């Protein structure tokens, strides 16, 4: 029996920058998805989502498309085979403790755990982890129908304890940045509004970013000249402004962390949220209420995390603050692994 764990992630800052050639600062968390795999003597996958009490069965050769969690399992098996990994027939069972739709990337947790379990079941060497992240993102793009970038998969596969990862999405350079909270509380609170990528405004924002690039004759929004971007028609001007200012906030956060200035990190989280709400329009009323509740509890900063349109809110509270009862502490944990 093979067991593999894939973590979810929290993105400290740098939202909607990954598919725009920008910067982000995520970390893997200690919650995620655990997959158990047992080889079978037939070329089929029999999978069970233990939390949902649901099953799936499909042939390894040419799995048909499917919805929901089944799309992830079929997609991972098919993409691994397309990458030359001889995935054997297997019985898979998985369960997780990242709430689905929470914006903490239960989907990347599932993809990375499935990948590592099936690679181990094939007896194959583990490919380069950045290549594996790209493979997982093909699963999202081609099987699940979400045009997500690489943020979640890179965080899940390259996470490092006590560190956030500064990612440059043009070069895919990864720089670990120590995340020393010095007694401050970093927490997530669920807004209660579930988000999905395929069904939210996420794909619409991607289309708008493509329109920005076409209008300015650039490859990524992060290459835009701020003045030229300001002259674009509404709302493209604001979409571009979010990406450009958010990239700046990522490096400002790295500097503030290196200088131990957590007040400043809080201000940057606050500014990121305002930009996501006003310029990127990725917030919803339930998220606004959750941000307000964290601010009332004395947070130095609070912001929506992940794709938005629902999901969780991240808050940074000073050591003496009274942490709200529904807040869950988050800290950087180790990356996806075979257990
Ligand atoms: C989701 C996507 C990521 C990224 C974030 C927004 O989590 O999966 O690729 O685009 O939204 O930063």
């Amino acid at each position: 029996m093979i067991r593999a764990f894939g973590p979810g992630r929290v993105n400290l800052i740098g939202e909607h920058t990954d598919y725009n050639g920008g910067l982000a600062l995520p970390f893997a968390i200690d919650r995620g998805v655990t997959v158990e795999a047992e080889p079978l003597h037939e070329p089929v996958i029999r999978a069970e989502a233990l939390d949902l009490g649901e099953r799936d069965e499909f042939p390894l050769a040419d799995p048909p498309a499917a919805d929901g969690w089944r799309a992830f399992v079929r997609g991972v098996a098919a993409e691994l085979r397309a990458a030359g990994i001889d995935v054997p027939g297997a019985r898979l069972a998985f369960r997780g403790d990242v709430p689905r739709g929470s914006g903490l990337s239960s989907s990347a947790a599932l993809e990375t755990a499935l990948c590592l379990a099936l690679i181990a079941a094939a007896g194959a060497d583990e490919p380069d982890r950045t290549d594996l992240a790209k493979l997982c993102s093909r699963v999202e793009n081609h099987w699940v129908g979400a045009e997500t970038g690489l943020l979640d998969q890179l965080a899940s596969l390259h996470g490092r304890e006590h560190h956030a990862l500064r990612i440059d999405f043009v070069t895919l350079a990864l720089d670990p940045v120590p995340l020393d909270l010095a007694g401050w509380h970093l927490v997530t609170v669920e807004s209660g509004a579930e988000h999905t990528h395929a069904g939210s405004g996420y794909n619409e924002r991607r289309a708008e970013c493509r329109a920005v690039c076409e209008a300015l004759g650039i490859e990524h929004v992060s290459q835009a000249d701020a003045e030229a971007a300001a002259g674009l028609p509404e709302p493209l001007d604001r979409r571009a402004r979010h990406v450009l200012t958010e990239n700046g906030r990522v490096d400002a956060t790295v500097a503030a962390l290196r200088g131990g200035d957590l007040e400043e990190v809080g201000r940057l989280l606050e500014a990121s949220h305002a930009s996501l709400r006003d310029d990127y329009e990725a917030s919803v009323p339930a998220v606004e209420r959750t941000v307000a509740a964290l601010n009332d509890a004395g947070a130095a900063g609070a912001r929506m995390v992940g794709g938005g349109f629902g999901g969780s809110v991240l808050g940074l509270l000073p050591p003496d603050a009274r942490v709200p009862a529904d807040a869950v502490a988050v800290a950087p944990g180790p990356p996806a692994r075979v257990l």
Side-chain angles (χ1 to χ4, degrees):
M1 159 94 72
I2 290 155
R3 290 173 73 229
F5 174 79
R9 63 98 189 90
V10 159
N11 190 15
L12 189 57
I13 199 159
E15 219 67 89
H16 289 279
T17 47
D18 61 345
Y19 54 85
N20 284 314
L23 303 172
L25 194 61
F27 56 87
I29 55 179
D30 60 1
R31 281 174 288 154
V33 173
T34 303
V35 174
E36 290 181 352
E38 257 180 294
L40 290 173
H41 295 294
E42 307 153 74
V44 295
I45 297 280
R46 296 205 178 98
E48 185 173 3
L50 296 167
D51 299 314
L52 301 172
E54 291 176 4
R55 292 168 188 269
D56 189 26
E57 176 168 336
F58 58 89
L60 267 174
D62 224 2
D67 291 331
W69 65 270
R70 293 178 178 84
F72 290 92
V73 183
R74 294 177 183 209
V76 166
E79 293 293 337
L80 283 173
R81 281 167 61 95
I85 292 177
D86 194 13
V87 175
R91 185 189 303 281
L92 302 173
F94 66 88
R95 76 165 78 243
D97 57 0
V98 184
R100 279 182 313 144
S102 65
L104 303 183
S105 208
S106 54
S107 44
L110 176 58
E111 292 152 18
T112 59
L114 282 168
C115 270
L116 294 188
L118 287 175
I119 291 167
D125 289 339
E126 196 188 289
D128 172 79
R129 286 203 160 202
T130 296
D131 289 341
L132 214 47
K134 291 180 186 164
L135 185 148
C136 290
S137 127
R138 289 200 290 278
V139 173
E140 297 262 4
N141 299 167
H142 302 155
W143 291 80
V144 181
E147 294 182 66
T148 57
L150 275 177
L151 170 74
D152 311 335
Q153 295 78 13
L154 286 174
S156 182
L157 286 160
H158 286 287
R160 182 154 153 192
E161 270 175 299
H162 311 299
H163 291 74
L165 271 187
R166 178 192 183 274
I167 306 177
D168 176 329
F169 288 94
V170 170
T171 60
L172 296 186
L174 306 166
D175 291 310
V177 177
L179 187 61
D180 180 3
L181 291 176
W184 286 59
H185 309 278
L186 191 59
V187 299
T188 57
V189 178
E190 276 186 61
S191 71
E194 194 175 317
H195 95 135
T196 63
H197 289 146
S200 72
Y202 188 94
N203 287 353
E204 188 184 304
R205 292 292 171 277
R206 288 213 61 159
E208 290 167 346
C209 289
R210 281 194 293 274
V212 168
C213 292
E214 264 162 47
L216 298 179
I218 52 179
E219 212 183 317
H220 305 296
V221 176
S222 299
Q223 296 166 328
D225 169 72
E227 225 169 282
L232 288 169
E234 153 77 16
L236 302 188
D237 53 350
R238 286 183 292 127
R239 304 297 187 250
R241 182 168 60 193
H242 165 71
V243 173
L244 297 178
T245 57
E246 186 78 349
N247 287 335
R249 284 186 288 269
V250 171
D251 273 340
T253 304
V254 171
L257 284 175
R258 293 204 190 279
D261 187 351
L262 290 156
E263 285 283 356
E264 176 65 3
V265 174
R267 277 190 289 275
L268 290 159
L269 297 185
E270 207 56 37
S272 170
H273 184 72
S275 178
L276 286 158
R277 181 190 61 217
D278 301 336
D279 280 350
Y280 219 68
E281 292 179 280
S283 190
V284 292
V287 167
E288 289 309 309
R289 284 194 293 276
T290 312
V291 167
L294 274 162
N295 286 333
D296 288 347
R303 67 173 207 84
M304 51 158 274
V305 62
F309 305 99
S312 295
V313 169
L314 179 69
L316 180 65
L317 297 105
D320 56 359
R322 227 175 341 120
V323 177
D326 54 352
V328 179
V330 283
R337 58 204 177 273
V338 174
L339 300 172

